Amino acid sequence: MSKQQPHIIADAARGIRHVFIRNLELPAQIGVWRHEHGKEQPIRINVDLAVEDLIDLGDDLAKVVDYGVIETKIRELIAEGHIRLIETLAERIAAACFADARVKTARVRVEKLHALSNAESAGVEIERTR
């Protein structure tokens, strides 16, 4: 597992809640090289979202950004088929997060776990703001 430091996003003064998915590992058809086509390889995904913070949630799931919905969207994106660049997948994940109007900022990290023989992972992290 990656030992990355958590991103500090929650901010009471700005009314921002931090919703995140940490170290989601999935098989994906991804890569530009010939040996990467037609087979899956493991990737790790981290998502950090800055969302509108409502004080009165009433213990109601509809009043929050549901990380389960985000996970489902990620799985659907991967299931669409081969993606050449991890940057492309990161951009698609960020765009999917913005389907919820409460999301203000999305930070997405995608790592290929077997890309380099002497490294735990290699990848990209992006941040997009509405």
Side-chain angles (χ1 to χ4, degrees):
M1 289 263 165
S2 175
K3 302 279 192 233
Q4 75 183 42
Q5 294 296 317
H7 299 288
I8 307 302
I9 295 177
D11 187 332
R14 294 184 312 135
I16 298 295
R17 179 181 307 266
H18 181 195
V19 176
F20 61 91
I21 296 174
R22 213 41 91 232
N23 297 321
L24 176 63
E25 292 188 14
L26 298 170
Q29 294 183 38
I30 195 161
V32 296
W33 306 112
R34 181 170 305 209
H35 70 273
E36 296 176 303
H37 288 253
K39 66 178 186 175
E40 294 178 330
Q41 61 180 301
I43 62 172
R44 180 184 301 132
I45 298 169
N46 284 274
V47 178
D48 292 280
L49 304 175
V51 304
E52 290 177 2
D53 190 11
L54 299 176
I55 301 302
D56 182 18
L57 298 175
D59 206 25
D60 183 358
L61 182 61
K63 291 186 178 181
V64 298
V65 174
D66 183 352
Y67 50 76
V69 170
I70 302 298
E71 179 198 14
T72 298
K73 289 179 181 184
I74 292 168
R75 289 179 181 277
E76 289 170 353
L77 289 168
I78 291 171
E80 289 177 0
H82 190 88
I83 300 169
R84 290 175 42 86
L85 299 174
I86 58 174
E87 290 85 352
T88 300
L89 179 57
E91 293 290 351
R92 290 177 183 173
I93 292 169
C97 292
F98 285 128
D100 189 317
R102 297 169 293 189
V103 175
K104 302 303 177 193
T105 301
R107 182 179 293 135
V108 179
R109 173 185 289 237
V110 179
E111 301 170 79
K112 291 170 75 174
L113 302 183
H114 298 152
L116 301 173
S117 61
N118 293 317
E120 178 182 327
S121 66
V124 67
E125 180 175 279
I126 64 167
E127 182 179 81
R128 299 295 176 257
T129 301
R130 183 181 300 279

